[in-house]
Amino acid sequence: MKLVRYGEPGEEKPGLIDGDGTLRDLSAYVPDITGATLGDGALDALRALDTSALPTVAGTPRMGPCVGNIGKFLCIGLNYSDHAEEQGLAIPEHPILFFKANSAITGANDDIVMPRGSRRTDWEVELGVVIGKEGKYISEDTALEHVAGYCIVNDVSEREFQQKLSGQWTKGKSCDTYGPTGPWLVTRDEVGDPQSLAMSLDVNGTRMQTGSTATMIFTVAQIIAHLSELFTLYPGDVITTGTPPGVGDGMRPQQYLKVGDVVELEIEGLGKQRQVVRQDA
C-alpha cells in the first residue's frame, strides 16, 4: 500500500494511492496515518478494504508528511561507503546517530526555506524507515518485522551551522523545512528488500546524486537492532538512513543551494519529491 496524508498543513487527511495512481480518502476508516495506525493488524485491515469503493479525491492536493505525529526523528550519518570515500572519512565502527527536530518535518513538495544567515544549505536524498511495531533489544534477524514501511526523506543540511556552530550536527539539520518526508509511506510488503533500491537527486535538472541502498555500511536491519539497544523504538518513529555520494559539500568546488533552485528526489518504488528553495524573511 501507498499511504498518504493530504491537505493543508495541520489539516491533513489520511489517504492511499490505489493501483491506478488515484488518490482515495481513508477518513472513514482511520483518523490519520500515525503510529496508532501502523501496526500489522491495522495495516491488514486497510489492505482488506475495497479500494475501488473508497471516495476519490479531486484535484492535486498538497501531500503532507506521510506520517503524522512522528515520535522520534532519528538520523544516521555517513552510512554509505561511497559517500564516506567522497568525504575522505573513515568507515564508522558503529552507526553515527543524530536527531533532527520534528519542527523540520514538511511535506515532500513544500518549499525549502533557508534561515537567516544560511550560506551552505545542502541536499541529501535518504531512505526513511517508519517503525510500526514497538521494540527494544530487537535482533537483526527480526528487525524488519518492526518496520511499517518506507519513504523518501531529504535530509537538508546547513553545513555552516552543522560544522561551525559547535555542538552536535543537530544544529545544521533541524532548521524549519529541512526534513521533507514522503510523499508516500509504502508498506514493507510492497517494497521487499530495502537494500536494493536505486536513488537519485537533481538540482535544476542536473543529476547530483546517483546511488543505491546496496552501498549502505549498516543495513536497515542492523540500524534498527543497534538503536533498539539504546532505547525503545515506537510506532511512528522515523529513521533516515544516510545518503549516497554527490552532496554539495563534497564537491570541489563546493556547491550549495540558492534561492530559486529546484531540488528533485526519487527512490525506486517510493515516489518523488520536488522542492523550491527560498529565503526566510
Side-chain angles (χ1 to χ4, degrees), residues 154-191:
N154 188 356
D155 179 20
V156 185
S157 307
E158 214 305 329
R159 303 300 188 189
E160 188 82 12
F161 297 178
Q162 178 184 352
Q163 299 166 6
K164 303 296 185 181
L165 291 188
S166 302
Q168 299 179 344
W169 290 358
T170 297
K171 289 183 178 180
K173 299 286 190 171
S174 293
C175 305
D176 294 347
T177 76
Y178 277 30
T181 302
W184 314 321
L185 186 165
V186 184
T187 52
R188 70 174 191 267
D189 59 304
E190 188 167 323
V191 172

PDB file of all heavy atoms in Angstrom, residues 154-191:
ATOM      1  N   ASN A 154      14.438  14.014   2.453  1.00  0.00           N
ATOM      2  CA  ASN A 154      15.530  14.901   2.060  1.00  0.00           C
ATOM      3  C   ASN A 154      16.121  15.462   3.351  1.00  0.00           C
ATOM      4  O   ASN A 154      15.505  16.305   4.011  1.00  0.00           O
ATOM      5  CB  ASN A 154      15.037  16.035   1.153  1.00  0.00           C
ATOM      6  CG  ASN A 154      16.184  16.855   0.568  1.00  0.00           C
ATOM      7  OD1 ASN A 154      17.343  16.635   0.898  1.00  0.00           O
ATOM      8  ND2 ASN A 154      15.855  17.788  -0.306  1.00  0.00           N
ATOM      9  N   ASP A 155      17.290  14.965   3.722  1.00  0.00           N
ATOM     10  CA  ASP A 155      17.947  15.433   4.943  1.00  0.00           C
ATOM     11  C   ASP A 155      18.694  16.722   4.623  1.00  0.00           C
ATOM     12  O   ASP A 155      19.918  16.759   4.541  1.00  0.00           O
ATOM     13  CB  ASP A 155      18.900  14.352   5.470  1.00  0.00           C
ATOM     14  CG  ASP A 155      19.647  14.787   6.721  1.00  0.00           C
ATOM     15  OD1 ASP A 155      19.182  15.728   7.392  1.00  0.00           O
ATOM     16  OD2 ASP A 155      20.707  14.193   7.023  1.00  0.00           O
ATOM     17  N   VAL A 156      17.915  17.791   4.421  1.00  0.00           N
ATOM     18  CA  VAL A 156      18.507  19.086   4.099  1.00  0.00           C
ATOM     19  C   VAL A 156      19.405  19.519   5.257  1.00  0.00           C
ATOM     20  O   VAL A 156      19.051  19.364   6.431  1.00  0.00           O
ATOM     21  CB  VAL A 156      17.415  20.132   3.825  1.00  0.00           C
ATOM     22  CG1 VAL A 156      18.032  21.446   3.360  1.00  0.00           C
ATOM     23  CG2 VAL A 156      16.416  19.609   2.789  1.00  0.00           C
ATOM     24  N   SER A 157      20.577  20.062   4.927  1.00  0.00           N
ATOM     25  CA  SER A 157      21.601  20.318   5.938  1.00  0.00           C
ATOM     26  C   SER A 157      22.248  21.676   5.710  1.00  0.00           C
ATOM     27  O   SER A 157      22.690  21.973   4.600  1.00  0.00           O
ATOM     28  CB  SER A 157      22.688  19.234   5.866  1.00  0.00           C
ATOM     29  OG  SER A 157      22.137  17.936   5.940  1.00  0.00           O
ATOM     30  N   GLU A 158      22.323  22.483   6.749  1.00  0.00           N
ATOM     31  CA  GLU A 158      23.055  23.743   6.685  1.00  0.00           C
ATOM     32  C   GLU A 158      24.461  23.467   7.223  1.00  0.00           C
ATOM     33  O   GLU A 158      24.663  23.306   8.422  1.00  0.00           O
ATOM     34  CB  GLU A 158      22.352  24.827   7.508  1.00  0.00           C
ATOM     35  CG  GLU A 158      22.447  26.236   6.953  1.00  0.00           C
ATOM     36  CD  GLU A 158      23.858  26.742   6.704  1.00  0.00           C
ATOM     37  OE1 GLU A 158      24.796  26.350   7.417  1.00  0.00           O
ATOM     38  OE2 GLU A 158      24.014  27.580   5.782  1.00  0.00           O
ATOM     39  N   ARG A 159      25.430  23.349   6.320  1.00  0.00           N
ATOM     40  CA  ARG A 159      26.764  22.878   6.710  1.00  0.00           C
ATOM     41  C   ARG A 159      27.494  23.855   7.626  1.00  0.00           C
ATOM     42  O   ARG A 159      28.262  23.429   8.489  1.00  0.00           O
ATOM     43  CB  ARG A 159      27.606  22.617   5.461  1.00  0.00           C
ATOM     44  CG  ARG A 159      26.993  21.620   4.488  1.00  0.00           C
ATOM     45  CD  ARG A 159      26.768  20.266   5.088  1.00  0.00           C
ATOM     46  NE  ARG A 159      26.361  19.308   4.057  1.00  0.00           N
ATOM     47  CZ  ARG A 159      25.933  18.072   4.308  1.00  0.00           C
ATOM     48  NH1 ARG A 159      25.840  17.630   5.552  1.00  0.00           N
ATOM     49  NH2 ARG A 159      25.586  17.264   3.312  1.00  0.00           N
ATOM     50  N   GLU A 160      27.274  25.158   7.444  1.00  0.00           N
ATOM     51  CA  GLU A 160      27.913  26.130   8.337  1.00  0.00           C
ATOM     52  C   GLU A 160      27.421  25.927   9.765  1.00  0.00           C
ATOM     53  O   GLU A 160      28.210  25.885  10.710  1.00  0.00           O
ATOM     54  CB  GLU A 160      27.606  27.547   7.858  1.00  0.00           C
ATOM     55  CG  GLU A 160      28.369  28.642   8.589  1.00  0.00           C
ATOM     56  CD  GLU A 160      29.773  28.840   8.067  1.00  0.00           C
ATOM     57  OE1 GLU A 160      30.110  28.295   7.001  1.00  0.00           O
ATOM     58  OE2 GLU A 160      30.538  29.546   8.743  1.00  0.00           O
ATOM     59  N   PHE A 161      26.114  25.776   9.919  1.00  0.00           N
ATOM     60  CA  PHE A 161      25.543  25.549  11.248  1.00  0.00           C
ATOM     61  C   PHE A 161      26.008  24.209  11.803  1.00  0.00           C
ATOM     62  O   PHE A 161      26.289  24.068  12.991  1.00  0.00           O
ATOM     63  CB  PHE A 161      24.014  25.560  11.186  1.00  0.00           C
ATOM     64  CG  PHE A 161      23.389  26.859  10.748  1.00  0.00           C
ATOM     65  CD1 PHE A 161      22.009  26.954  10.622  1.00  0.00           C
ATOM     66  CD2 PHE A 161      24.156  27.984  10.456  1.00  0.00           C
ATOM     67  CE1 PHE A 161      21.407  28.133  10.219  1.00  0.00           C
ATOM     68  CE2 PHE A 161      23.558  29.170  10.043  1.00  0.00           C
ATOM     69  CZ  PHE A 161      22.182  29.244   9.927  1.00  0.00           C
ATOM     70  N   GLN A 162      26.067  23.212  10.929  1.00  0.00           N
ATOM     71  CA  GLN A 162      26.429  21.855  11.345  1.00  0.00           C
ATOM     72  C   GLN A 162      27.879  21.767  11.826  1.00  0.00           C
ATOM     73  O   GLN A 162      28.178  21.112  12.813  1.00  0.00           O
ATOM     74  CB  GLN A 162      26.222  20.896  10.171  1.00  0.00           C
ATOM     75  CG  GLN A 162      26.614  19.451  10.454  1.00  0.00           C
ATOM     76  CD  GLN A 162      26.475  18.567   9.219  1.00  0.00           C
ATOM     77  OE1 GLN A 162      25.944  18.993   8.190  1.00  0.00           O
ATOM     78  NE2 GLN A 162      26.938  17.343   9.303  1.00  0.00           N
ATOM     79  N   GLN A 163      28.761  22.445  11.111  1.00  0.00           N
ATOM     80  CA  GLN A 163      30.196  22.272  11.343  1.00  0.00           C
ATOM     81  C   GLN A 163      30.849  23.376  12.155  1.00  0.00           C
ATOM     82  O   GLN A 163      31.894  23.148  12.780  1.00  0.00           O
ATOM     83  CB  GLN A 163      30.915  22.148   9.996  1.00  0.00           C
ATOM     84  CG  GLN A 163      30.450  20.960   9.166  1.00  0.00           C
ATOM     85  CD  GLN A 163      30.913  21.031   7.711  1.00  0.00           C
ATOM     86  OE1 GLN A 163      31.689  21.917   7.340  1.00  0.00           O
ATOM     87  NE2 GLN A 163      30.423  20.121   6.877  1.00  0.00           N
ATOM     88  N   LYS A 164      30.267  24.572  12.158  1.00  0.00           N
ATOM     89  CA  LYS A 164      30.958  25.726  12.735  1.00  0.00           C
ATOM     90  C   LYS A 164      30.314  26.296  13.996  1.00  0.00           C
ATOM     91  O   LYS A 164      30.923  27.135  14.666  1.00  0.00           O
ATOM     92  CB  LYS A 164      31.053  26.846  11.694  1.00  0.00           C
ATOM     93  CG  LYS A 164      31.744  26.455  10.382  1.00  0.00           C
ATOM     94  CD  LYS A 164      33.205  26.103  10.594  1.00  0.00           C
ATOM     95  CE  LYS A 164      33.883  25.852   9.249  1.00  0.00           C
ATOM     96  NZ  LYS A 164      35.306  25.486   9.417  1.00  0.00           N
ATOM     97  N   LEU A 165      29.098  25.900  14.323  1.00  0.00           N
ATOM     98  CA  LEU A 165      28.409  26.496  15.469  1.00  0.00           C
ATOM     99  C   LEU A 165      28.641  25.730  16.768  1.00  0.00           C
ATOM    100  O   LEU A 165      27.963  25.984  17.761  1.00  0.00           O
ATOM    101  CB  LEU A 165      26.903  26.609  15.200  1.00  0.00           C
ATOM    102  CG  LEU A 165      26.489  27.615  14.136  1.00  0.00           C
ATOM    103  CD1 LEU A 165      24.970  27.760  14.104  1.00  0.00           C
ATOM    104  CD2 LEU A 165      27.126  28.982  14.375  1.00  0.00           C
ATOM    105  N   SER A 166      29.586  24.800  16.760  1.00  0.00           N
ATOM    106  CA  SER A 166      29.916  23.980  17.931  1.00  0.00           C
ATOM    107  C   SER A 166      28.753  23.049  18.270  1.00  0.00           C
ATOM    108  O   SER A 166      27.653  23.171  17.757  1.00  0.00           O
ATOM    109  CB  SER A 166      30.267  24.843  19.140  1.00  0.00           C
ATOM    110  OG  SER A 166      31.345  25.703  18.843  1.00  0.00           O
ATOM    111  N   GLY A 167      29.015  22.098  19.129  1.00  0.00           N
ATOM    112  CA  GLY A 167      27.979  21.147  19.496  1.00  0.00           C
ATOM    113  C   GLY A 167      27.813  20.067  18.440  1.00  0.00           C
ATOM    114  O   GLY A 167      28.720  19.779  17.668  1.00  0.00           O
ATOM    115  N   GLN A 168      26.642  19.481  18.385  1.00  0.00           N
ATOM    116  CA  GLN A 168      26.393  18.336  17.528  1.00  0.00           C
ATOM    117  C   GLN A 168      25.812  18.759  16.180  1.00  0.00           C
ATOM    118  O   GLN A 168      25.464  19.912  15.970  1.00  0.00           O
ATOM    119  CB  GLN A 168      25.463  17.359  18.248  1.00  0.00           C
ATOM    120  CG  GLN A 168      26.058  16.826  19.551  1.00  0.00           C
ATOM    121  CD  GLN A 168      25.118  15.883  20.258  1.00  0.00           C
ATOM    122  OE1 GLN A 168      23.929  15.843  19.959  1.00  0.00           O
ATOM    123  NE2 GLN A 168      25.632  15.131  21.205  1.00  0.00           N
ATOM    124  N   TRP A 169      25.702  17.773  15.264  1.00  0.00           N
ATOM    125  CA  TRP A 169      25.202  18.036  13.921  1.00  0.00           C
ATOM    126  C   TRP A 169      23.779  18.586  13.913  1.00  0.00           C
ATOM    127  O   TRP A 169      23.346  19.209  12.944  1.00  0.00           O
ATOM    128  CB  TRP A 169      25.215  16.742  13.100  1.00  0.00           C
ATOM    129  CG  TRP A 169      26.582  16.262  12.753  1.00  0.00           C
ATOM    130  CD1 TRP A 169      27.776  16.852  13.045  1.00  0.00           C
ATOM    131  CD2 TRP A 169      26.886  15.069  12.030  1.00  0.00           C
ATOM    132  NE1 TRP A 169      28.813  16.099  12.554  1.00  0.00           N
ATOM    133  CE2 TRP A 169      28.296  14.999  11.929  1.00  0.00           C
ATOM    134  CE3 TRP A 169      26.123  14.058  11.468  1.00  0.00           C
ATOM    135  CZ2 TRP A 169      28.948  13.954  11.282  1.00  0.00           C
ATOM    136  CZ3 TRP A 169      26.760  13.024  10.825  1.00  0.00           C
ATOM    137  CH2 TRP A 169      28.156  12.964  10.730  1.00  0.00           C
ATOM    138  N   THR A 170      23.037  18.342  14.994  1.00  0.00           N
ATOM    139  CA  THR A 170      21.625  18.696  15.045  1.00  0.00           C
ATOM    140  C   THR A 170      21.384  20.157  14.676  1.00  0.00           C
ATOM    141  O   THR A 170      20.362  20.489  14.072  1.00  0.00           O
ATOM    142  CB  THR A 170      21.059  18.394  16.442  1.00  0.00           C
ATOM    143  OG1 THR A 170      21.154  16.991  16.680  1.00  0.00           O
ATOM    144  CG2 THR A 170      19.614  18.819  16.575  1.00  0.00           C
ATOM    145  N   LYS A 171      22.315  21.046  15.011  1.00  0.00           N
ATOM    146  CA  LYS A 171      22.106  22.471  14.722  1.00  0.00           C
ATOM    147  C   LYS A 171      21.931  22.723  13.231  1.00  0.00           C
ATOM    148  O   LYS A 171      21.136  23.576  12.837  1.00  0.00           O
ATOM    149  CB  LYS A 171      23.287  23.285  15.250  1.00  0.00           C
ATOM    150  CG  LYS A 171      23.359  23.386  16.763  1.00  0.00           C
ATOM    151  CD  LYS A 171      24.513  24.283  17.197  1.00  0.00           C
ATOM    152  CE  LYS A 171      24.580  24.429  18.698  1.00  0.00           C
ATOM    153  NZ  LYS A 171      25.704  25.318  19.121  1.00  0.00           N
ATOM    154  N   GLY A 172      22.697  22.020  12.411  1.00  0.00           N
ATOM    155  CA  GLY A 172      22.607  22.232  10.980  1.00  0.00           C
ATOM    156  C   GLY A 172      21.571  21.393  10.288  1.00  0.00           C
ATOM    157  O   GLY A 172      21.335  21.550   9.083  1.00  0.00           O
ATOM    158  N   LYS A 173      20.945  20.489  11.030  1.00  0.00           N
ATOM    159  CA  LYS A 173      19.981  19.560  10.441  1.00  0.00           C
ATOM    160  C   LYS A 173      18.532  19.925  10.756  1.00  0.00           C
ATOM    161  O   LYS A 173      17.620  19.367  10.146  1.00  0.00           O
ATOM    162  CB  LYS A 173      20.261  18.147  10.966  1.00  0.00           C
ATOM    163  CG  LYS A 173      21.649  17.597  10.627  1.00  0.00           C
ATOM    164  CD  LYS A 173      21.750  17.194   9.174  1.00  0.00           C
ATOM    165  CE  LYS A 173      23.030  16.425   8.881  1.00  0.00           C
ATOM    166  NZ  LYS A 173      23.039  15.846   7.533  1.00  0.00           N
ATOM    167  N   SER A 174      18.324  20.815  11.712  1.00  0.00           N
ATOM    168  CA  SER A 174      16.991  20.990  12.291  1.00  0.00           C
ATOM    169  C   SER A 174      16.295  22.278  11.910  1.00  0.00           C
ATOM    170  O   SER A 174      15.275  22.615  12.501  1.00  0.00           O
ATOM    171  CB  SER A 174      17.079  20.900  13.815  1.00  0.00           C
ATOM    172  OG  SER A 174      17.429  19.599  14.222  1.00  0.00           O
ATOM    173  N   CYS A 175      16.838  23.028  10.943  1.00  0.00           N
ATOM    174  CA  CYS A 175      16.161  24.249  10.535  1.00  0.00           C
ATOM    175  C   CYS A 175      14.756  23.921  10.042  1.00  0.00           C
ATOM    176  O   CYS A 175      14.495  22.847   9.492  1.00  0.00           O
ATOM    177  CB  CYS A 175      16.944  24.937   9.417  1.00  0.00           C
ATOM    178  SG  CYS A 175      18.672  25.276   9.817  1.00  0.00           S
ATOM    179  N   ASP A 176      13.843  24.853  10.244  1.00  0.00           N
ATOM    180  CA  ASP A 176      12.473  24.668   9.748  1.00  0.00           C
ATOM    181  C   ASP A 176      12.515  24.330   8.259  1.00  0.00           C
ATOM    182  O   ASP A 176      13.265  24.945   7.495  1.00  0.00           O
ATOM    183  CB  ASP A 176      11.651  25.940   9.952  1.00  0.00           C
ATOM    184  CG  ASP A 176      11.417  26.270  11.419  1.00  0.00           C
ATOM    185  OD1 ASP A 176      11.671  25.410  12.277  1.00  0.00           O
ATOM    186  OD2 ASP A 176      10.983  27.411  11.697  1.00  0.00           O
ATOM    187  N   THR A 177      11.716  23.360   7.866  1.00  0.00           N
ATOM    188  CA  THR A 177      11.545  22.863   6.477  1.00  0.00           C
ATOM    189  C   THR A 177      12.689  21.976   6.013  1.00  0.00           C
ATOM    190  O   THR A 177      12.705  21.565   4.859  1.00  0.00           O
ATOM    191  CB  THR A 177      11.351  23.988   5.431  1.00  0.00           C
ATOM    192  OG1 THR A 177      12.610  24.639   5.157  1.00  0.00           O
ATOM    193  CG2 THR A 177      10.322  25.009   5.891  1.00  0.00           C
ATOM    194  N   TYR A 178      13.646  21.622   6.877  1.00  0.00           N
ATOM    195  CA  TYR A 178      14.806  20.846   6.448  1.00  0.00           C
ATOM    196  C   TYR A 178      14.594  19.334   6.579  1.00  0.00           C
ATOM    197  O   TYR A 178      15.562  18.577   6.583  1.00  0.00           O
ATOM    198  CB  TYR A 178      16.057  21.293   7.221  1.00  0.00           C
ATOM    199  CG  TYR A 178      16.723  22.532   6.631  1.00  0.00           C
ATOM    200  CD1 TYR A 178      15.982  23.497   5.966  1.00  0.00           C
ATOM    201  CD2 TYR A 178      18.088  22.734   6.733  1.00  0.00           C
ATOM    202  CE1 TYR A 178      16.576  24.628   5.429  1.00  0.00           C
ATOM    203  CE2 TYR A 178      18.704  23.857   6.191  1.00  0.00           C
ATOM    204  CZ  TYR A 178      17.944  24.800   5.546  1.00  0.00           C
ATOM    205  OH  TYR A 178      18.542  25.919   5.003  1.00  0.00           O
ATOM    206  N   GLY A 179      13.317  18.912   6.628  1.00  0.00           N
ATOM    207  CA  GLY A 179      13.032  17.487   6.678  1.00  0.00           C
ATOM    208  C   GLY A 179      11.851  17.073   5.819  1.00  0.00           C
ATOM    209  O   GLY A 179      10.907  16.438   6.321  1.00  0.00           O
ATOM    210  N   PRO A 180      11.850  17.373   4.513  1.00  0.00           N
ATOM    211  CA  PRO A 180      10.758  16.892   3.645  1.00  0.00           C
ATOM    212  C   PRO A 180      10.642  15.370   3.698  1.00  0.00           C
ATOM    213  O   PRO A 180      11.629  14.657   3.519  1.00  0.00           O
ATOM    214  CB  PRO A 180      11.180  17.373   2.252  1.00  0.00           C
ATOM    215  CG  PRO A 180      12.081  18.540   2.499  1.00  0.00           C
ATOM    216  CD  PRO A 180      12.826  18.190   3.756  1.00  0.00           C
ATOM    217  N   THR A 181       9.427  14.880   3.946  1.00  0.00           N
ATOM    218  CA  THR A 181       9.199  13.453   4.199  1.00  0.00           C
ATOM    219  C   THR A 181       7.983  12.981   3.406  1.00  0.00           C
ATOM    220  O   THR A 181       6.892  13.524   3.545  1.00  0.00           O
ATOM    221  CB  THR A 181       8.969  13.209   5.705  1.00  0.00           C
ATOM    222  OG1 THR A 181      10.117  13.682   6.430  1.00  0.00           O
ATOM    223  CG2 THR A 181       8.754  11.738   6.010  1.00  0.00           C
ATOM    224  N   GLY A 182       8.159  11.976   2.579  1.00  0.00           N
ATOM    225  CA  GLY A 182       7.065  11.452   1.759  1.00  0.00           C
ATOM    226  C   GLY A 182       7.483  11.441   0.288  1.00  0.00           C
ATOM    227  O   GLY A 182       8.668  11.422  -0.013  1.00  0.00           O
ATOM    228  N   PRO A 183       6.538  11.432  -0.648  1.00  0.00           N
ATOM    229  CA  PRO A 183       5.113  11.721  -0.478  1.00  0.00           C
ATOM    230  C   PRO A 183       4.280  10.570   0.090  1.00  0.00           C
ATOM    231  O   PRO A 183       3.211  10.794   0.649  1.00  0.00           O
ATOM    232  CB  PRO A 183       4.668  12.026  -1.911  1.00  0.00           C
ATOM    233  CG  PRO A 183       5.561  11.158  -2.748  1.00  0.00           C
ATOM    234  CD  PRO A 183       6.889  11.170  -2.057  1.00  0.00           C
ATOM    235  N   TRP A 184       4.775   9.351  -0.079  1.00  0.00           N
ATOM    236  CA  TRP A 184       4.028   8.182   0.351  1.00  0.00           C
ATOM    237  C   TRP A 184       4.791   7.440   1.439  1.00  0.00           C
ATOM    238  O   TRP A 184       6.011   7.466   1.493  1.00  0.00           O
ATOM    239  CB  TRP A 184       3.824   7.180  -0.795  1.00  0.00           C
ATOM    240  CG  TRP A 184       3.379   7.724  -2.090  1.00  0.00           C
ATOM    241  CD1 TRP A 184       2.471   8.734  -2.299  1.00  0.00           C
ATOM    242  CD2 TRP A 184       3.804   7.288  -3.396  1.00  0.00           C
ATOM    243  NE1 TRP A 184       2.301   8.951  -3.645  1.00  0.00           N
ATOM    244  CE2 TRP A 184       3.105   8.069  -4.349  1.00  0.00           C
ATOM    245  CE3 TRP A 184       4.680   6.307  -3.855  1.00  0.00           C
ATOM    246  CZ2 TRP A 184       3.282   7.906  -5.722  1.00  0.00           C
ATOM    247  CZ3 TRP A 184       4.854   6.148  -5.222  1.00  0.00           C
ATOM    248  CH2 TRP A 184       4.160   6.933  -6.135  1.00  0.00           C
ATOM    249  N   LEU A 185       4.052   6.737   2.271  1.00  0.00           N
ATOM    250  CA  LEU A 185       4.607   5.666   3.094  1.00  0.00           C
ATOM    251  C   LEU A 185       4.236   4.374   2.373  1.00  0.00           C
ATOM    252  O   LEU A 185       3.056   4.046   2.248  1.00  0.00           O
ATOM    253  CB  LEU A 185       4.013   5.691   4.499  1.00  0.00           C
ATOM    254  CG  LEU A 185       4.585   4.730   5.543  1.00  0.00           C
ATOM    255  CD1 LEU A 185       4.153   5.153   6.937  1.00  0.00           C
ATOM    256  CD2 LEU A 185       4.181   3.281   5.316  1.00  0.00           C
ATOM    257  N   VAL A 186       5.233   3.672   1.865  1.00  0.00           N
ATOM    258  CA  VAL A 186       4.988   2.425   1.140  1.00  0.00           C
ATOM    259  C   VAL A 186       5.245   1.270   2.096  1.00  0.00           C
ATOM    260  O   VAL A 186       6.341   1.148   2.661  1.00  0.00           O
ATOM    261  CB  VAL A 186       5.904   2.308  -0.097  1.00  0.00           C
ATOM    262  CG1 VAL A 186       5.564   1.048  -0.880  1.00  0.00           C
ATOM    263  CG2 VAL A 186       5.743   3.537  -0.984  1.00  0.00           C
ATOM    264  N   THR A 187       4.228   0.429   2.300  1.00  0.00           N
ATOM    265  CA  THR A 187       4.353  -0.636   3.293  1.00  0.00           C
ATOM    266  C   THR A 187       5.422  -1.642   2.905  1.00  0.00           C
ATOM    267  O   THR A 187       5.733  -1.823   1.730  1.00  0.00           O
ATOM    268  CB  THR A 187       3.004  -1.346   3.498  1.00  0.00           C
ATOM    269  OG1 THR A 187       2.482  -1.754   2.226  1.00  0.00           O
ATOM    270  CG2 THR A 187       2.009  -0.417   4.183  1.00  0.00           C
ATOM    271  N   ARG A 188       6.005  -2.279   3.911  1.00  0.00           N
ATOM    272  CA  ARG A 188       7.205  -3.100   3.695  1.00  0.00           C
ATOM    273  C   ARG A 188       6.957  -4.268   2.750  1.00  0.00           C
ATOM    274  O   ARG A 188       7.871  -4.698   2.037  1.00  0.00           O
ATOM    275  CB  ARG A 188       7.765  -3.604   5.022  1.00  0.00           C
ATOM    276  CG  ARG A 188       6.951  -4.665   5.754  1.00  0.00           C
ATOM    277  CD  ARG A 188       7.701  -5.180   6.982  1.00  0.00           C
ATOM    278  NE  ARG A 188       7.074  -6.354   7.557  1.00  0.00           N
ATOM    279  CZ  ARG A 188       6.181  -6.336   8.543  1.00  0.00           C
ATOM    280  NH1 ARG A 188       5.795  -5.166   9.074  1.00  0.00           N
ATOM    281  NH2 ARG A 188       5.647  -7.455   8.995  1.00  0.00           N
ATOM    282  N   ASP A 189       5.724  -4.790   2.717  1.00  0.00           N
ATOM    283  CA  ASP A 189       5.444  -5.909   1.828  1.00  0.00           C
ATOM    284  C   ASP A 189       5.555  -5.501   0.367  1.00  0.00           C
ATOM    285  O   ASP A 189       5.929  -6.312  -0.493  1.00  0.00           O
ATOM    286  CB  ASP A 189       4.036  -6.476   2.107  1.00  0.00           C
ATOM    287  CG  ASP A 189       2.948  -5.441   1.924  1.00  0.00           C
ATOM    288  OD1 ASP A 189       3.033  -4.384   2.576  1.00  0.00           O
ATOM    289  OD2 ASP A 189       2.012  -5.659   1.128  1.00  0.00           O
ATOM    290  N   GLU A 190       5.272  -4.231   0.079  1.00  0.00           N
ATOM    291  CA  GLU A 190       5.329  -3.757  -1.301  1.00  0.00           C
ATOM    292  C   GLU A 190       6.758  -3.382  -1.700  1.00  0.00           C
ATOM    293  O   GLU A 190       7.116  -3.463  -2.875  1.00  0.00           O
ATOM    294  CB  GLU A 190       4.408  -2.544  -1.472  1.00  0.00           C
ATOM    295  CG  GLU A 190       4.254  -2.100  -2.912  1.00  0.00           C
ATOM    296  CD  GLU A 190       3.113  -1.129  -3.108  1.00  0.00           C
ATOM    297  OE1 GLU A 190       2.065  -1.289  -2.440  1.00  0.00           O
ATOM    298  OE2 GLU A 190       3.255  -0.207  -3.935  1.00  0.00           O
ATOM    299  N   VAL A 191       7.576  -3.012  -0.726  1.00  0.00           N
ATOM    300  CA  VAL A 191       8.953  -2.612  -1.022  1.00  0.00           C
ATOM    301  C   VAL A 191       9.856  -3.822  -1.215  1.00  0.00           C
ATOM    302  O   VAL A 191      10.724  -3.849  -2.089  1.00  0.00           O
ATOM    303  CB  VAL A 191       9.506  -1.705   0.093  1.00  0.00           C
ATOM    304  CG1 VAL A 191      10.995  -1.443  -0.087  1.00  0.00           C
ATOM    305  CG2 VAL A 191       8.734  -0.389   0.131  1.00  0.00           C
TER     306      VAL A 191
END
